[in-house]
Amino acid sequence: MQTIHSISGIRDLVRDLRARDHVIALVPTMGALHDGHLSLIRLAAERADTVIVSIFVNPTQFGPNEDFLKYPRELGADLAACQEAGADVVFTPSVEEMYPKGFSTYVVEDRVSKPLEGASRPTHFRGVTTVVAKLLHIAQPDLMVFGQKDAQQVAVIKKMVEDLLIPVEVVVGPTVRESDGLAMSSRNRYLTATQRKEALALFQALSKAKEMVEGGELRADRLIAEATHILSDHRRIRVIYVAVADRDTMEAAREVTPGKSLIALAVWVDEVRLIDNFLL
Ligand code: AMP
């Protein structure tokens, strides 16, 4: 496995790989890798000849009062995990090279990115689409792998790829969870033992909603009320949103359409912001 820090290094490599007809997969990450990330690398390895994992804590997707500076960075452990999972190349650019002084061009998806996460993190998806567009131009992958854990991110990226006619396949891997159901997240390591216990309520709320749907309840307001009730029972949890939405457009739905809808939520567990979702 190679580690490449410069954009020109990846470009040189990719030119050579494409000349040899290699299928290239890109797995964009911000590092602090866990089994969720590694499952995406394995999925990429099944589909591609060369798997490039990018590790870049992207400043433009963090709001001014968010955790950019304290976001966990542990490159040594990440490189070992990437190798183990089957990555061929790890790309770790610097902020200075990705966003040189004077940088002023952004990619904005203007609809799917607006509700839910977009409503509470107004510049987040602009940062995501911008960095992903840049990574696509650098690595020119045939496919790019994302996790369903960030359902709205998947929808926004798919829309960007479609709208901008980008020749890449977007592959989505399922959410990987801890044994008790908590979705794996780099931010879980911020949780104290007490907060970690309370964070299980996200999974419980989603599970309850899914159970209700399986029992025939399709009315969104009933599902949202029940999930909110479960979350609100926890002293450290503050609900940011609970929503039933279309999985592609992220528009709020009044009724679940099986296979088309998801229930998504975001909460604060004290000062730690967590999100999760279930497809319904
Ligand atoms: P991040 O490093 O948080 O930007 O995440 C990088 C990629 O890993 C994104 O496509 C995420 O959706 C995905 N991811 C994060 N957590 C999980 C998880 N628990 N299961 C599956 N994919 C995940």
Side-chain angles (χ1 to χ4, degrees):
M1 189 183 80
Q2 301 182 59
T3 305
I4 296 180
H5 302 293
S6 68
I7 292 172
S8 63
I10 294 288
R11 287 203 200 280
D12 290 346
L13 175 84
V14 164
R15 193 175 305 117
D16 176 56
L17 294 172
R18 297 199 78 87
R20 291 191 282 132
D21 281 338
H22 267 228
V23 174
I24 300 172
L26 173 67
V27 185
T29 82
M30 298 206 298
L33 302 181
H34 49 64
D35 281 347
H37 298 111
L38 303 184
S39 72
L40 304 183
I41 297 172
R42 288 190 203 102
L43 187 58
E46 283 170 18
R47 299 277 308 269
D49 301 308
T50 299
V51 176
I52 304 176
V53 177
S54 60
I55 297 181
F56 179 61
V57 184
N58 173 36
T60 59
Q61 71 188 71
F62 289 80
N65 299 314
E66 293 184 359
D67 54 344
F68 174 67
L69 289 174
K70 76 162 192 172
Y71 198 84
R73 290 161 172 87
E74 37 198 59
L75 188 59
D78 285 349
L79 293 178
C82 283
Q83 174 140 31
E84 174 76 27
D88 300 291
V89 181
V90 177
F91 175 44
T92 60
S94 67
V95 172
E96 292 71 28
E97 200 180 10
M98 288 296 277
Y99 296 104
K101 205 165 176 301
F103 172 85
S104 61
T105 303
Y106 292 87
V107 176
V108 178
E109 191 291 322
D110 222 2
R111 200 155 81 201
V112 181
S113 65
K114 291 293 183 208
L116 308 180
E117 287 298 283
S120 73
R121 306 180 73 192
T123 57
H124 171 66
F125 285 119
R126 178 183 82 154
V128 170
T129 42
T130 299
V131 81
V132 169
K134 290 167 81 97
L135 291 169
L136 283 169
H137 286 119
I138 296 165
Q140 296 176 42
D142 299 281
L143 55 118
M144 186 167 50
V145 187
F146 290 90
Q148 184 59 35
K149 160 78 177 14
D150 298 279
Q152 191 171 10
Q153 171 168 277
V154 165
V156 169
I157 296 288
K158 282 185 170 170
K159 194 66 170 46
M160 173 185 82
V161 163
E162 183 187 332
D163 287 350
L164 297 184
L165 308 171
I166 302 175
V168 70
E169 182 189 352
V170 178
V171 175
V172 182
T175 302
V176 176
R177 299 176 179 280
E178 303 286 355
S179 55
D180 62 1
L182 179 69
M184 289 190 184
S185 163
S186 305
R187 291 187 168 98
N188 289 352
R189 68 193 69 196
Y190 298 150
L191 298 169
T192 64
T194 321
Q195 292 166 342
R196 170 69 180 74
K197 273 191 203 131
E198 298 236 319
L200 197 54
L202 281 81
F203 180 69
Q204 289 163 346
L206 294 171
S207 301
K208 177 68 185 179
K210 183 159 176 248
E211 211 177 278
M212 288 169 72
V213 172
E214 284 163 1
E217 178 59 82
L218 297 179
R219 290 168 295 183
D221 55 352
R222 300 300 164 97
L223 304 173
I224 293 167
E226 188 60 33
T228 306
H229 175 70
I230 290 171
L231 294 167
S232 307
D233 252 0
H234 295 261
R235 202 169 61 81
R236 295 175 184 280
I237 292 185
R238 272 179 299 137
V239 175
I240 302 168
Y241 62 78
V242 178
V244 173
D246 181 279
R247 64 184 289 180
D248 298 318
T249 64
M250 292 292 142
E251 272 167 29
R254 284 152 74 113
E255 282 230 328
V256 169
T257 309
K260 278 286 288 167
S261 305
L262 53 71
I263 178 161
L265 48 84
V267 307
W268 290 104
V269 182
D270 293 329
E271 74 291 359
V272 184
R273 192 180 188 285
L274 298 178
I275 60 171
D276 199 352
N277 70 87
F278 272 16
L279 294 171
L280 295 173

Coordinates of all heavy atoms in Angstrom, one line a residue, residues 49-105:
D49 N -10.0 -2.7 -9.2 CA -8.6 -3.2 -9.2 C -7.7 -2.4 -8.2 O -6.8 -2.9 -7.6 CB -8.0 -3.1 -10.6 CG -8.8 -3.8 -11.6 OD1 -9.1 -5.0 -11.4 OD2 -9.2 -3.2 -12.7
T50 N -8.0 -1.1 -8.2 CA -7.2 -0.2 -7.3 C -8.2 0.6 -6.4 O -9.1 1.2 -6.9 CB -6.4 0.7 -8.1 OG1 -5.5 0.0 -8.9 CG2 -5.5 1.6 -7.2
V51 N -7.9 0.5 -5.1 CA -8.8 1.2 -4.1 C -7.9 2.4 -3.5 O -6.9 2.1 -2.9 CB -9.3 0.3 -3.0 CG1 -10.0 1.1 -2.0 CG2 -10.1 -0.8 -3.5
I52 N -8.4 3.6 -3.8 CA -7.8 4.8 -3.2 C -8.7 5.2 -2.0 O -9.9 5.5 -2.2 CB -7.7 5.9 -4.2 CG1 -6.9 5.4 -5.5 CG2 -7.0 7.1 -3.6 CD1 -6.8 6.5 -6.6
V53 N -8.1 5.3 -0.8 CA -8.8 5.9 0.3 C -8.3 7.3 0.5 O -7.0 7.5 0.7 CB -8.6 5.0 1.6 CG1 -9.3 5.7 2.8 CG2 -9.1 3.6 1.3
S54 N -9.1 8.3 0.6 CA -8.6 9.6 1.0 C -8.9 9.8 2.4 O -10.0 9.5 2.9 CB -9.3 10.7 0.1 OG -10.7 10.7 0.2
I55 N -7.9 10.4 3.1 CA -8.1 10.8 4.5 C -7.8 12.3 4.6 O -6.7 12.7 4.4 CB -7.1 10.0 5.4 CG1 -7.4 8.5 5.3 CG2 -7.2 10.5 6.8 CD1 -6.5 7.6 6.2
F56 N -8.9 13.1 4.8 CA -8.7 14.5 4.8 C -9.8 15.1 5.6 O -11.0 14.9 5.3 CB -8.9 15.0 3.3 CG -8.8 16.5 3.2 CD1 -7.6 17.2 3.6 CD2 -9.8 17.3 2.7 CE1 -7.5 18.6 3.4 CE2 -9.7 18.6 2.5 CZ -8.6 19.3 2.9
V57 N -9.4 15.7 6.7 CA -10.4 16.4 7.6 C -10.7 17.8 6.9 O -9.9 18.7 6.9 CB -9.9 16.6 9.0 CG1 -11.0 17.3 9.9 CG2 -9.5 15.3 9.6
N58 N -11.9 17.8 6.2 CA -12.2 18.9 5.3 C -12.7 20.1 6.0 O -13.9 20.1 6.4 CB -13.2 18.3 4.3 CG -13.7 19.4 3.3 OD1 -13.0 20.3 2.9 ND2 -15.0 19.3 3.0
P59 N -11.9 21.2 6.1 CA -12.4 22.3 6.9 C -13.7 22.9 6.4 O -14.5 23.4 7.2 CB -11.2 23.3 6.7 CG -10.4 22.9 5.6 CD -10.6 21.4 5.4
T60 N -14.0 22.9 5.1 CA -15.1 23.6 4.6 C -16.5 23.0 4.9 O -17.5 23.6 4.8 CB -15.1 23.8 3.0 OG1 -15.0 22.5 2.4 CG2 -13.9 24.6 2.6
Q61 N -16.4 21.7 5.4 CA -17.7 21.1 5.8 C -18.0 21.3 7.3 O -19.0 20.8 7.8 CB -17.8 19.6 5.4 CG -16.9 18.7 6.1 CD -16.9 17.3 5.5 OE1 -16.3 17.1 4.4 NE2 -17.6 16.3 6.1
F62 N -17.1 22.0 8.0 CA -17.4 22.2 9.4 C -17.9 23.7 9.5 O -17.3 24.6 8.9 CB -16.1 22.1 10.2 CG -15.6 20.7 10.4 CD1 -14.9 20.1 9.4 CD2 -15.9 20.0 11.6 CE1 -14.5 18.7 9.5 CE2 -15.4 18.7 11.7 CZ -14.7 18.1 10.7
G63 N -18.9 23.9 10.4 CA -19.3 25.3 10.7 C -18.3 25.9 11.6 O -17.5 25.3 12.2
P64 N -18.5 27.3 11.8 CA -17.5 28.0 12.6 C -17.4 27.6 14.0 O -16.4 27.7 14.6 CB -18.0 29.5 12.5 CG -19.4 29.4 11.8 CD -19.5 28.1 11.1
N65 N -18.5 27.0 14.6 CA -18.4 26.6 16.0 C -18.4 25.1 16.1 O -18.7 24.5 17.2 CB -19.6 27.2 16.8 CG -19.6 28.7 16.8 OD1 -18.5 29.3 17.0 ND2 -20.7 29.3 16.5
E66 N -18.0 24.4 15.0 CA -18.0 22.9 15.1 C -16.6 22.4 15.5 O -15.7 23.2 15.8 CB -18.5 22.4 13.8 CG -20.0 22.7 13.6 CD -20.7 22.1 12.4 OE1 -19.9 21.4 11.6 OE2 -21.9 22.3 12.2
D67 N -16.5 21.1 15.4 CA -15.3 20.4 16.0 C -14.1 20.2 15.0 O -13.4 19.3 15.2 CB -15.8 19.1 16.6 CG -16.5 18.2 15.6 OD1 -16.9 18.7 14.5 OD2 -16.6 17.0 15.8
F68 N -13.9 21.1 14.0 CA -12.8 20.9 13.1 C -11.5 20.7 13.8 O -10.7 19.8 13.5 CB -12.7 22.0 12.1 CG -11.5 22.0 11.2 CD1 -11.4 20.9 10.3 CD2 -10.5 22.9 11.3 CE1 -10.3 20.8 9.5 CE2 -9.3 22.8 10.5 CZ -9.2 21.7 9.6
L69 N -11.2 21.6 14.8 CA -9.9 21.6 15.4 C -9.7 20.3 16.3 O -8.6 19.8 16.4 CB -9.6 22.8 16.2 CG -9.4 24.1 15.3 CD1 -9.3 25.3 16.1 CD2 -8.1 23.9 14.4
K70 N -10.8 19.9 16.9 CA -10.6 18.8 17.8 C -11.0 17.4 17.2 O -10.9 16.4 17.8 CB -11.4 19.0 19.2 CG -12.8 18.9 19.1 CD -13.4 18.7 20.5 CE -14.8 18.3 20.4 NZ -15.5 17.9 21.7
Y71 N -11.4 17.5 15.9 CA -11.7 16.2 15.2 C -10.6 15.2 15.3 O -9.4 15.6 15.1 CB -12.1 16.5 13.7 CG -12.8 15.4 13.1 CD1 -14.2 15.3 13.3 CD2 -12.2 14.3 12.4 CE1 -14.9 14.2 12.7 CE2 -12.9 13.3 11.9 CZ -14.3 13.2 12.0 OH -15.0 12.2 11.5
P72 N -10.8 14.0 15.7 CA -9.7 13.0 15.9 C -8.8 12.8 14.7 O -9.4 12.6 13.6 CB -10.4 11.8 16.4 CG -11.8 11.9 16.0 CD -12.1 13.3 15.9
R73 N -7.5 12.9 14.9 CA -6.6 12.6 13.8 C -5.6 11.6 14.3 O -4.9 11.9 15.3 CB -5.9 13.9 13.4 CG -6.8 15.0 12.7 CD -6.2 16.4 12.8 NE -6.9 17.4 12.0 CZ -8.0 18.1 12.4 NH1 -8.5 17.9 13.6 NH2 -8.5 19.0 11.6
E74 N -5.5 10.5 13.6 CA -4.6 9.4 14.0 C -4.2 8.6 12.8 O -4.6 7.5 12.6 CB -5.4 8.5 15.0 CG -6.8 8.3 14.7 CD -7.6 7.8 16.0 OE1 -7.6 8.5 17.0 OE2 -8.1 6.7 15.9
L75 N -3.3 9.2 12.0 CA -2.9 8.7 10.7 C -2.2 7.3 10.8 O -2.5 6.5 10.0 CB -2.0 9.7 10.0 CG -1.7 9.3 8.6 CD1 -3.0 9.2 7.7 CD2 -0.8 10.4 7.9
G76 N -1.4 7.2 11.9 CA -0.7 5.9 12.0 C -1.6 4.7 12.0 O -1.5 3.7 11.2
A77 N -2.6 4.8 12.9 CA -3.6 3.7 13.1 C -4.4 3.6 11.8 O -4.8 2.5 11.4 CB -4.5 3.9 14.3
D78 N -4.8 4.7 11.2 CA -5.6 4.7 10.0 C -4.9 4.0 8.9 O -5.5 3.2 8.1 CB -6.0 6.1 9.6 CG -7.0 6.7 10.5 OD1 -7.6 6.0 11.3 OD2 -7.2 8.0 10.3
L79 N -3.6 4.2 8.7 CA -2.9 3.6 7.6 C -2.8 2.1 7.8 O -3.1 1.3 6.8 CB -1.4 4.1 7.5 CG -1.3 5.6 7.1 CD1 0.1 6.1 7.1 CD2 -2.0 5.8 5.7
A80 N -2.6 1.6 9.0 CA -2.6 0.2 9.3 C -3.9 -0.4 9.0 O -4.1 -1.5 8.3 CB -2.2 -0.1 10.7
A81 N -5.0 0.3 9.4 CA -6.4 -0.2 9.1 C -6.7 -0.3 7.6 O -7.3 -1.2 7.2 CB -7.4 0.6 9.9
C82 N -6.3 0.7 6.9 CA -6.5 0.8 5.4 C -5.8 -0.4 4.8 O -6.4 -1.1 3.9 CB -6.0 2.0 4.8 SG -7.0 3.5 5.2
Q83 N -4.6 -0.7 5.2 CA -3.9 -1.8 4.6 C -4.6 -3.1 4.8 O -4.8 -3.9 3.9 CB -2.4 -1.8 5.1 CG -1.6 -3.0 4.7 CD -0.2 -2.6 4.4 OE1 0.4 -1.7 5.0 NE2 0.4 -3.3 3.4
E84 N -4.9 -3.3 6.1 CA -5.6 -4.5 6.5 C -7.0 -4.7 5.7 O -7.3 -5.8 5.4 CB -5.9 -4.3 8.0 CG -6.8 -5.4 8.7 CD -6.0 -6.7 8.9 OE1 -4.7 -6.6 9.0 OE2 -6.6 -7.8 8.9
A85 N -7.7 -3.6 5.4 CA -9.0 -3.7 4.8 C -8.8 -3.9 3.3 O -9.8 -4.1 2.6 CB -9.8 -2.5 5.1
G86 N -7.6 -3.7 2.7 CA -7.4 -3.9 1.3 C -7.3 -2.7 0.4 O -7.5 -2.7 -0.8
A87 N -6.9 -1.5 1.1 CA -6.7 -0.3 0.3 C -5.3 -0.5 -0.4 O -4.4 -1.1 0.1 CB -6.6 0.9 1.2
D88 N -5.2 0.1 -1.6 CA -4.0 0.1 -2.4 C -3.2 1.4 -2.2 O -2.0 1.4 -2.2 CB -4.2 -0.1 -3.9 CG -4.9 -1.5 -4.1 OD1 -4.3 -2.5 -3.9 OD2 -6.1 -1.4 -4.4
V89 N -4.0 2.5 -2.0 CA -3.4 3.8 -2.0 C -4.1 4.6 -0.9 O -5.4 4.6 -0.9 CB -3.5 4.5 -3.3 CG1 -2.8 5.9 -3.2 CG2 -2.9 3.7 -4.4
V90 N -3.4 5.3 -0.1 CA -4.0 6.3 0.8 C -3.6 7.7 0.4 O -2.4 7.9 0.3 CB -3.7 6.0 2.3 CG1 -4.4 7.1 3.2 CG2 -4.2 4.6 2.7
F91 N -4.5 8.5 0.2 CA -4.3 9.9 -0.2 C -4.5 10.8 0.9 O -5.7 10.9 1.4 CB -5.1 10.3 -1.4 CG -5.0 11.7 -1.9 CD1 -3.8 12.3 -2.1 CD2 -6.2 12.4 -2.3 CE1 -3.7 13.6 -2.5 CE2 -6.1 13.7 -2.7 CZ -4.9 14.3 -2.8
T92 N -3.5 11.5 1.4 CA -3.7 12.4 2.6 C -3.2 13.8 2.2 O -2.0 14.2 2.6 CB -2.8 11.9 3.8 OG1 -1.4 11.9 3.3 CG2 -3.2 10.5 4.2
P93 N -4.0 14.6 1.5 CA -3.5 15.9 1.1 C -3.5 16.9 2.3 O -4.2 16.6 3.3 CB -4.6 16.3 0.1 CG -5.8 15.6 0.5 CD -5.4 14.3 1.1
S94 N -2.8 18.0 2.1 CA -2.8 19.0 3.1 C -4.0 20.0 2.9 O -4.4 20.1 1.7 CB -1.5 19.8 3.1 OG -1.4 20.5 1.9
V95 N -4.4 20.7 3.9 CA -5.4 21.7 3.7 C -4.9 22.8 2.7 O -5.6 23.3 1.9 CB -5.8 22.4 5.1 CG1 -6.7 23.6 4.9 CG2 -6.5 21.3 6.0
E96 N -3.6 23.1 2.8 CA -3.0 24.2 2.0 C -3.1 23.8 0.5 O -3.3 24.6 -0.4 CB -1.6 24.4 2.4 CG -1.4 25.1 3.7 CD -1.7 24.1 4.9 OE1 -1.5 22.9 4.7 OE2 -2.1 24.6 6.0
E97 N -2.9 22.5 0.2 CA -2.9 22.1 -1.2 C -4.4 22.0 -1.7 O -4.7 22.3 -2.9 CB -2.1 20.8 -1.5 CG -1.8 20.7 -2.9 CD -1.0 19.5 -3.4 OE1 -0.9 18.5 -2.6 OE2 -0.6 19.5 -4.5
M98 N -5.3 21.5 -0.9 CA -6.7 21.3 -1.3 C -7.4 22.7 -1.4 O -8.2 22.9 -2.3 CB -7.4 20.4 -0.3 CG -7.1 19.0 -0.4 SD -7.5 18.3 -2.0 CE -9.2 17.9 -1.8
Y99 N -7.0 23.6 -0.5 CA -7.6 25.0 -0.5 C -6.5 26.0 -0.5 O -6.3 26.6 0.6 CB -8.5 25.1 0.7 CG -9.7 24.2 0.7 CD1 -9.7 23.1 1.5 CD2 -10.8 24.4 -0.1 CE1 -10.8 22.2 1.5 CE2 -11.9 23.6 -0.1 CZ -11.9 22.5 0.7 OH -13.0 21.6 0.7
P100 N -5.8 26.2 -1.6 CA -4.8 27.2 -1.6 C -5.3 28.6 -1.3 O -6.5 28.9 -1.5 CB -4.2 27.2 -3.0 CG -5.0 26.3 -3.8 CD -6.0 25.6 -2.9
K101 N -4.5 29.5 -0.8 CA -4.9 30.9 -0.5 C -5.6 31.5 -1.7 O -5.1 31.3 -2.8 CB -3.6 31.6 -0.2 CG -3.8 32.8 0.7 CD -2.4 33.3 1.2 CE -2.6 34.6 2.1 NZ -3.2 35.7 1.3
G102 N -6.7 32.1 -1.4 CA -7.4 32.7 -2.5 C -8.5 31.8 -3.1 O -9.3 32.3 -4.0
F103 N -8.6 30.6 -2.7 CA -9.6 29.7 -3.2 C -11.0 30.3 -3.0 O -11.4 30.8 -2.0 CB -9.6 28.4 -2.3 CG -10.7 27.4 -2.6 CD1 -10.6 26.5 -3.6 CD2 -11.8 27.4 -1.8 CE1 -11.6 25.6 -3.9 CE2 -12.8 26.6 -2.0 CZ -12.7 25.7 -3.1
S104 N -11.8 30.3 -4.1 CA -13.1 31.0 -4.1 C -14.2 30.3 -4.8 O -15.3 30.8 -5.1 CB -13.0 32.4 -4.6 OG -12.5 32.4 -5.9
T105 N -14.0 29.0 -5.2 CA -15.0 28.3 -6.0 C -15.6 27.1 -5.2 O -14.9 26.3 -4.7 CB -14.4 27.8 -7.3 OG1 -13.9 28.9 -8.0 CG2 -15.5 27.1 -8.2

